[in-house]
Amino acid sequence: MTEFHAEMRDRAVTAVQSLRKARESGDDYLVEVQEAELENLARLATEHGLRIPELRAYTAA
């Protein structure tokens, strides 16, 4: 795993955790922000040929 891949995975894990906390607290704005972050990370991972399991649900069909 490259340093870039590891950093992307770390960012994805952090965003997923933040999304879960936002949902639990009922913060709809933060949910939207975190979902957008995950979608952007998924797009970037796809562009670089990275497989990051945490982003699978956010990858465009």
Side-chain angles (χ1 to χ4, degrees), residues 13-60:
V13 168
T14 298
V16 168
Q17 291 170 346
S18 295
L19 175 60
R20 180 181 44 79
K21 289 177 185 175
R23 285 180 174 157
E24 288 172 357
S25 69
D27 187 337
D28 294 335
Y29 175 74
L30 188 54
V31 166
E32 288 184 31
V33 169
Q34 292 305 322
E35 286 176 340
E37 172 71 3
L38 286 161
E39 289 167 0
N40 286 329
L41 289 171
R43 179 189 49 77
L44 188 58
T46 299
E47 288 175 1
H48 290 276
L50 302 176
R51 289 186 173 184
I52 301 175
E54 292 80 5
L55 298 175
R56 190 171 297 130
Y58 302 96
T59 302

